[in-house]
Amino acid sequence: MPGDPYDTPAMRQFTAFKREHPGCVLFFRMGDFYELFGDDAVMVSKALGLTLTERTKGMPMAGVPYHQLETYLRRAIDRGFRVAVADQVQDPREAKGVVERAVTRVVTPGTLVDESLLDSSEACAVAAISLEEQTADAAIADLSTGAVELRSGTPEEVADALSARGVRELIHGGDDDAVPRLRSLLAPDATALTAGDPTAFDARRAPELVMKRYGVQTLDGFGLDASDPVLGPLAALLEYLARTQAVDAAPLDDAPTSGSEFATQRRTLAHLRPPTRASEEGLCVLDAVSRRALEVERVIRAEPGTGAMEGALLGIFLEPRDGSGSVVRTPMGRRLLRARLLAPLADVDAIRGRQDEVAVMLEDTRLAAAVGGHLGGIQDVERIAGRIALGRATPRDLVALARSCEAAAGLCAEVHGARPLSAIESRLRESLVEAAPLAGSIAALCVDEAPATLRQGGLIRDGVDAELDEARALQRDAGEWLADYQARLDEAHDLPGMKVGFNKVFGYYIELPAAQARRAPDAFTRKQTLKNAERYITPELKTFEEKVSTAEARALARERELFQRLLLEAAGCVRELQSLASAVAALDVSAGLAEKARRRGWVRPEVVDRPVLEIEAGRHPVLDETLGDRFVPNGVSLGGSDAHLSLITGPNMAGKSTFIRQVALLAVLASAGGFVPAERATIGVCDRIFTRVGADDALHRGQSTFMVEMAETAAILNGATPRSLVILDEIGRGTSTLDGLSLAWAIAERLGEPGAPRALFATHYHELTELAERDPASVKNLHVAARVWRDEIVFLHEIKPGAAEGSYGVHVAKLAGIPASVTDRASEILESLRVEHAQLSGQQARTPAPPGSGDQMALFTEFVPHPAVDRLRELKLDALSPLEAFDELRRLLDLAERAE
Ligand code: ADP
Ligand code: MG
C-alpha cells in the first residue's frame, strides 16, 4: 500500500519485532537514538515525559539518546512497562539495503538481572499463577539469583507469599475474568500483570515442559507428581523466562548493553535451581496486612521509592540513623535479612541455631571484627552468578567475583573452630573447592581495575598471553618503529624535508616536499598528491600498516576469547557460587544481628515452645533509636500463669500503639533468630503474628475502610491458633460508636476465651475494661500512665496494670493547639455530659451480660436505659394519691421530652 508509513524496510522490521514480543514496548535503534513508534511512542512519551514527534504523517515517534538507554529502561520498568530492545546487528557501512536489526534484550519488571536496573537490597521476582475459586497455585522465580519456589493454598495465602517474595510481575493464563480478581488480591502491591502462554498452563503439557526445561527425566526429584496443579504455573513461568531471556542476537560493539558482553557468552537458564515447595510448616507467618502494619520493610505512609526504609524495622539494620552504615555488609546478606524478617521461624531448634550464630559473634569481638573485614570485600556473588548463567556478566563482574572468592576463603579460615558456625564453614569450604581455582584463573588473567565493558579492551593483563602481548606490542611500538624507520630512510637517502606520517583516511605515508618529488627513489610508490607535497608508500611501510591496523582488532578479539574462556569456566560452577553466596549471606546476617545487639545493648531472648510472652523493659526497636534516652522501656506478660489477653487503654498519644507494636516487633525479631531490645525476654514461638490497625489509623487504598477493617479482623478470628500472637489497635473505629463498641466488645470477648491466642488490644472504648473484671484469669487491663498537672496532660509512656481513668481527650486537644476558648467550652460540655450520663445510667449495670446468659441484647438497652423507664420502675403506685400520680405523669412526660 503506497503511503503506508509502516511499509518501509525499517518499519517492517519494527512490525515483525512487535509481533514476536507481544506486550512489550519496543526501543528501536536508529542512528544515535532508540526510537519508539506508534502507540508505544504515545504511551511511553507520556509516562516518561519524552517529546512526542511524528516520523511521517500519522506515525507518532519518540526517542532517547542511545547512551542513556539504561536510564530510560529503568524508568520505563519502574512504570510497569515491559521493554524489548532492538539493536543494529550489522555494521551500517556494510549494509546493502536496510541495516540488519534484532531484538537483543527483553527487560520486564520481574526479570531484571543487570546491576544498573536492580536495587541490591531488594528481591526482584516474577511469578506465574493459576487461580481457582478457592485455591491458587503459583511458581515464583528470582532470575537474578536463580531461586524457584512453589506455593499453593488459598488465594489470599498465595497472594501473601507473592508479596513477601518481592514479586513484581505476575504471569497469568490470559483469562480476562481473572485479571480484576488478581488486581484486587494484589492491589496494595505494584505488580505488573502479564498474560502468559495459555498452552503452557495446560495441565497435560505442563509436566513435559517442566522436565524439558530442567533437563530431567522425572519429576520425582522435585517431590512433584505429574498431576500437581502447580506444574501449570511452573511450566508457564519457565516458558516465559526462556522466551524473554533467549534472545540470541548480539548487538554491535557500540550498543550500550550496560557493558554486558553477551556476544561471546552463553545464554541459558542453567542457574535456575530446582523448585522448592514453600510450606508454612516451621514458619511464623506474617500476612501482608501485618507486614505493612508493623512496618517491617517500609513505613506505611512513605511514598514508594523515597527513603521508605527509614523508620521501618529493616531500616535500623540497613540504614541506621546515626550514619554508622549498614550492619549487614553484602547485598545478599541484606536480601536475606529482609527475607528472614518477613518470614520468621516457628521452630525452637532452628531459631536457637541462629541465635547461637549471633551469640558467638557477639561474644568474640575479635572474630566479629575479622569476619566483618572479610565480608566487606565480598560483592554480589549471587547475582553475578545469575548474570554469568544468563550471559550478561561484565568484565567488572568477573573481577569482583575473583576478589569476593578470595575474601570468602579468608572468611572460611576465620570461622574455623567457632562451633556454632561449623555448618556455614563447611558450606563455604565445599563451594570454594570449585570457586577458588576459578578466582585464581581470573586474578591471574585480569587486571585489578577492570573496564566497564570490553569494547576498548583492557581487561587482560600484560604478560599472561603471548598472542595478546604481541598484538599490543605492535600497537604500542608503532611510534617507535616509525621513528626508527624515518631514521633509516634519512640515512639511506639524502632527501631534505622528508617525513613519515599517518592520516586516518590514507593511512601511513612518506611525504616529500614538491621540490624533492622528482628525486624520489624507485621503491616509493606515489599515493597522494598535495599542493606542495607528494606522499608515497613503500612495501615495508605497507606491511607495517597492515600489521598495526589488524593488531588492534586482533588484541580485542584475543581479549574476548580469553574473557569467554573465563566465563565458560565460571558458568561451570554457578551452583557452587550460589552456595557460596548463601553461606556468606547467612554469616553476614548473623554478624549484622550481633553488631546491632552490641551497639544497642540487645539481649538473647529465651525462645520456648509454650504460648507465653514475657518482656522486661522492652524498647521499640525503631523509636528507641530516634528518641534515645527519652524512650520509656515497658514490659508485658501474656499467657502462662498470666492472662493471655491484655486490653490497653489510655489517652490518645499516650503510647498505646507504640507499645503493642513494640511487642509484635520483638516477637518478629526473636522468631527471625535475632536478639531483642529488652532487659530480658521469654518468647514462645508464634505460628502467626497478626497485626490489625483500626480504620482511622491505617492507610487503605480506595476501599471502604470499615469493610477492610472487618475483613482483616475476620481473617484473625478465623485463622489464629493458640500459638498465634494477635495485635489489635483501635479496632472498631471505622463505624458509628455503638456499632464499633459492640464489635470491639465481641471481638475482645472471643479473644478472651480460653485457648485463644496471645493478644494485645489497644482501645479507646473504655467500656471494654469490664471484661477483665469478669474473667481476670484470661483478660487483664493495662493502661498507659498520664498525669494531669496544672490542667496540662503529661504523658509518662509507662504501661501500668489496671484500666485508664479517662481519655483526656480535651487535654490532648489543648496540646494540639485547639484554642483555649474551645477547649474550655469542651470541658464544660464534657462535665455536663458526665453528670447526665451518671444520672441516666444510675446504679444499673452498664455492661452487657456475659454471652450465653440468654440476654445478648442487653448491651444497649441496659447501657443507656431511658430515664423515664427507670423512674417508672421506682414508682410505688399504691402509695400515690391521684394528684401525686398526675404530678408524676407530668414529670415523666417532661423527662421523655428532655431525653429525646
Ligand atoms: P497512642 O496510640 O496511645 O495514641 P502512640 O503510640 O501513637 O500513642 O504514641 C504517641 C507518641 O508518643 C509517639 O509518637 C512517641 O513519640 C511517643 N511515645 C510512645 N511510646 C513511648 C515511650 N515508651 N517512650 C517515649 N515516647 C513514647
Ligand atoms: Mg494509637
Side-chain angles (χ1 to χ4, degrees):
M1 190 204 334
D4 178 355
Y6 287 90
D7 193 23
T8 68
M11 283 300 107
R12 277 195 290 271
Q13 289 178 334
F14 169 83
T15 318
F17 298 152
K18 283 291 288 182
R19 210 174 310 118
E20 281 163 34
H21 296 279
C24 288
V25 296
L26 188 72
F27 279 61
F28 190 83
R29 178 76 184 262
M30 281 190 142
D32 286 342
F33 282 83
Y34 283 96
E35 304 285 7
L36 294 139
F37 300 113
D39 292 345
D40 289 0
V42 176
M43 283 189 306
V44 176
S45 65
K46 197 155 147 216
L48 305 192
L50 304 174
T51 316
L52 190 64
T53 58
E54 272 189 331
R55 177 169 157 84
T56 51
K57 198 156 166 37
M59 187 198 283
M61 177 171 98
V64 304
Y66 81 96
H67 53 89
Q68 286 181 24
L69 177 64
E70 295 303 311
T71 316
Y72 285 103
L73 274 183
R74 178 157 199 156
R75 288 170 54 192
I77 296 302
D78 284 348
R79 281 163 185 72
F81 287 107
R82 304 168 61 238
V83 181
V85 180
D87 272 299
Q88 297 172 343
V89 292
Q90 181 191 27
D91 189 329
R93 280 168 298 190
E94 285 166 19
K96 297 246 167 52
V98 62
V99 60
E100 263 179 57
R101 291 187 178 84
V103 171
T104 52
R105 222 171 142 185
V106 175
V107 189
T108 76
T111 61
L112 305 177
V113 294
D114 296 305
E115 206 178 355
S116 57
L117 300 176
L118 280 168
D119 179 330
S120 72
S121 22
E122 268 182 43
C124 172
V126 54
I129 190 167
S130 65
L131 185 61
E132 303 295 329
E133 206 49 53
Q134 304 290 334
T135 62
D137 295 278
I140 309 167
D142 186 326
L143 192 62
S144 69
T145 65
V148 180
E149 205 181 304
L150 308 176
R151 191 63 223 265
S152 306
T154 66
E156 288 75 20
E157 284 166 352
V158 172
D160 274 351
L162 296 182
S163 84
R165 299 299 178 278
V167 169
R168 306 220 195 134
E169 185 178 9
L170 190 60
I171 318 297
H172 59 89
D175 174 3
D176 287 342
D177 297 346
V179 172
R181 249 185 101 203
L182 287 170
R183 269 268 159 264
S184 76
L185 263 178
L186 301 162
D189 300 295
T191 308
L193 291 181
T194 306
D197 175 4
T199 63
F201 277 97
D202 185 339
R204 283 158 303 179
R205 278 190 67 211
E208 186 198 325
L209 278 175
V210 170
M211 287 191 282
K212 191 181 101 203
R213 288 284 168 209
Y214 271 107
V216 294
Q217 302 291 322
T218 158
L219 294 167
D220 295 350
F222 300 155
L224 293 170
D225 74 63
S227 64
D228 196 314
V230 83
L231 282 171
L234 178 57
L237 180 68
L238 295 172
E239 288 310 295
Y240 182 73
L241 292 178
R243 190 149 56 88
T244 53
Q245 298 308 307
V247 275
D248 42 24
L252 285 183
D253 281 348
D254 71 333
T257 54
S258 81
S260 76
E261 299 298 329
F262 60 68
T264 55
Q265 295 181 32
R266 305 190 311 169
R267 299 170 67 73
T268 68
L269 295 174
H271 73 305
L272 286 190
R273 292 177 240 182
T276 55
R277 167 117 29 210
S279 92
E280 290 177 358
E281 179 83 14
L283 286 187
C284 164
V285 177
L286 280 176
D287 59 12
V289 181
S290 303
R291 279 198 303 269
R292 267 198 303 280
L294 287 176
E295 308 193 312
V296 176
E297 300 183 85
R298 56 176 61 92
V299 288
I300 294 179
R301 276 161 223 271
E303 291 296 312
T306 55
M309 218 194 271
E310 187 177 335
L313 182 60
L314 199 60
I316 63 167
F317 296 100
L318 304 191
E319 294 170 2
R321 284 173 51 90
D322 60 9
S324 52
S326 170
V327 294
V328 180
R329 301 184 191 229
T330 68
M332 49 264 181
R334 292 194 283 273
R335 293 192 294 268
L336 180 64
L337 177 64
R338 172 188 295 259
R340 284 193 180 172
L341 290 177
L342 290 178
L345 301 175
D347 180 281
V348 176
D349 293 331
I351 295 173
R352 286 185 187 154
R354 287 186 186 174
Q355 288 183 331
D356 289 341
E357 292 177 16
V358 180
V360 67
M361 220 85 78
L362 182 59
E363 283 152 21
D364 190 341
T365 46
R366 196 208 56 81
L367 174 70
V371 164
H374 291 300
L375 285 170
I378 299 183
Q379 302 194 40
D380 203 338
V381 176
E382 192 179 31
R383 283 185 172 162
I384 292 175
R387 286 197 288 273
I388 287 172
L390 289 169
R392 298 200 62 82
T394 68
R396 284 194 182 149
D397 281 343
L398 266 197
V399 172
L401 185 65
R403 285 231 195 99
S404 304
C405 290
E406 282 160 25
L411 205 54
C412 184
E414 199 61 59
V415 298
H416 180 71
R419 216 176 36 81
L421 303 177
S422 60
I424 291 180
E425 186 204 341
S426 53
R427 245 165 67 227
L428 284 173
R429 186 178 308 288
E430 276 160 30
S431 42
L432 280 166
V433 171
E434 298 275 338
L438 169 68
S441 319
I442 296 171
L445 284 186
C446 299
V447 296
D448 296 338
E449 295 295 328
T453 80
L454 258 196
R455 258 170 255 152
Q456 263 96 46
L459 170 65
I460 307 293
R461 288 176 191 281
D462 283 330
V464 293
D465 183 71
E467 197 182 325
L468 180 62
D469 285 348
E470 194 198 316
R472 280 186 180 158
L474 262 175
Q475 285 172 265
R476 206 172 310 141
D477 299 345
E480 216 169 282
W481 188 91
L482 284 179
D484 175 64
Y485 185 58
Q486 167 112 41
R488 278 193 284 129
L489 284 176
D490 283 341
E491 204 160 299
H493 313 281
D494 175 27
L495 293 167
M498 174 173 65
K499 60 179 194 226
V500 181
F502 172 77
N503 135 329
K504 261 199 196 141
V505 181
F506 293 97
Y508 289 93
Y509 56 80
I510 302 163
E511 186 176 299
L512 288 179
Q516 302 287 345
R518 74 199 148 70
R519 295 180 57 213
D522 291 346
F524 284 24
T525 310
R526 181 165 312 155
K527 201 174 178 184
Q528 190 189 4
T529 302
L530 306 178
K531 212 161 115 204
N532 299 318
E534 291 288 334
R535 285 180 176 174
Y536 304 89
I537 186 87
T538 63
E540 190 179 1
L541 190 58
K542 180 95 198 143
T543 314
F544 169 77
E545 181 181 272
E546 274 160 14
K547 255 167 117 183
V548 171
S549 71
T550 54
E552 198 184 321
R554 266 204 296 142
L556 258 180
R558 183 61 184 160
E559 282 209 57
R560 279 180 186 283
E561 220 175 292
L562 294 170
F563 178 57
Q564 186 179 18
R565 226 182 266 172
L566 288 175
L567 285 173
L568 268 179
E569 191 180 341
C573 48
V574 163
R575 292 256 179 271
E576 287 77 11
L577 294 175
Q578 286 172 338
S579 156
L580 183 84
S582 79
V584 166
L587 194 58
D588 194 8
V589 168
S590 294
L593 292 172
E595 178 71 26
K596 190 87 225 170
R598 179 178 309 116
R599 283 191 205 165
R600 305 290 314 175
W602 292 13
V603 300
R604 175 177 182 149
E606 188 190 347
V607 175
V608 297
D609 217 346
R610 290 171 281 125
V612 295
L613 199 147
E614 286 166 35
I615 294 169
E616 280 174 25
R619 279 123 53 206
H620 187 291
V622 179
L623 278 186
D624 182 36
E625 300 200 354
T626 26
L627 296 182
D629 288 348
R630 282 175 296 141
F631 189 85
V632 181
N634 278 306
V636 72
S637 170
L638 297 178
S641 54
D642 257 302
H644 65 265
L645 168 64
S646 280
L647 297 167
I648 298 104
T649 42
N652 254 324
M653 288 300 288
K656 301 181 296 297
S657 300
T658 305
F659 171 66
I660 59 177
R661 277 181 178 72
Q662 165 185 323
V663 173
L665 287 173
L666 263 54
V668 169
L669 279 171
S671 309
F675 284 24
V676 295
E679 255 161 37
R680 202 190 63 80
T682 302
I683 295 178
V685 289
C686 309
D687 61 354
R688 292 174 163 271
I689 299 177
F690 289 104
T691 307
R692 294 296 185 268
V693 179
D696 285 3
D697 273 15
L699 187 76
H700 293 294
R701 289 150 232 235
Q703 303 179 54
S704 151
T705 48
F706 182 65
M707 180 66 193
V708 170
E709 183 183 321
M710 285 301 115
E712 291 176 1
T713 309
I716 299 188
L717 298 178
N718 295 327
T721 77
R723 281 158 57 88
S724 307
L725 174 64
V726 174
I727 305 294
L728 295 178
D729 196 355
E730 309 275 17
I731 288 298
R733 266 219 302 218
T735 182
S736 76
T737 311
L738 289 189
D739 269 9
L741 171 57
S742 19
L743 280 162
W745 188 288
I747 291 165
E749 214 165 60
R750 168 66 77 84
L751 290 172
E753 284 169 7
R758 288 158 287 175
L760 288 168
F761 192 162
T763 181
H764 65 295
Y765 291 124
H766 202 263
E767 291 81 356
L768 260 58
T769 55
E770 191 75 25
L771 281 171
E773 280 154 38
R774 201 181 284 162
D775 184 6
S778 299
V779 187
K780 181 163 73 174
N781 283 325
L782 299 175
H783 71 281
V784 198
R787 291 260 174 291
V788 175
W789 189 71
R790 293 194 189 152
D791 207 30
E792 296 277 324
I793 188 161
V794 182
F795 298 118
L796 304 175
H797 303 305
E798 224 174 288
I799 301 291
K800 300 224 154 143
E805 280 161 23
S807 62
Y808 303 92
V810 175
H811 296 97
V812 175
K814 200 181 276 180
L815 268 189
I818 301 277
S821 55
V822 176
T823 50
D824 288 350
R825 173 67 186 139
S827 297
E828 263 175 53
I829 295 173
L830 180 66
E831 200 46 44
S832 68
L833 287 176
R834 270 206 193 116
V835 170
E836 214 162 288
H837 186 78
Q839 283 177 346
L840 294 179
S841 40
Q843 295 306 306
Q844 297 282 336
R846 306 166 16 225
T847 54
S853 66
D855 199 8
Q856 297 284 348
M857 289 310 294
L859 178 52
F860 301 114
T861 46
E862 293 196 8
F863 181 43
V864 194
H866 198 283
V869 176
D870 282 354
R871 203 164 177 98
L872 265 173
R873 281 211 184 107
E874 281 159 19
L875 270 189
K876 307 218 163 33
L877 204 55
D878 296 343
L880 292 182
S881 70
L883 215 62
E884 283 168 331
F886 185 75
D887 273 354
E888 198 56 54
L889 205 57
R890 191 196 300 275
R891 244 177 256 137
L892 278 169
L893 265 177
D894 224 39
L895 251 183
E897 264 159 26
R898 245 202 299 146
E900 245 161 30

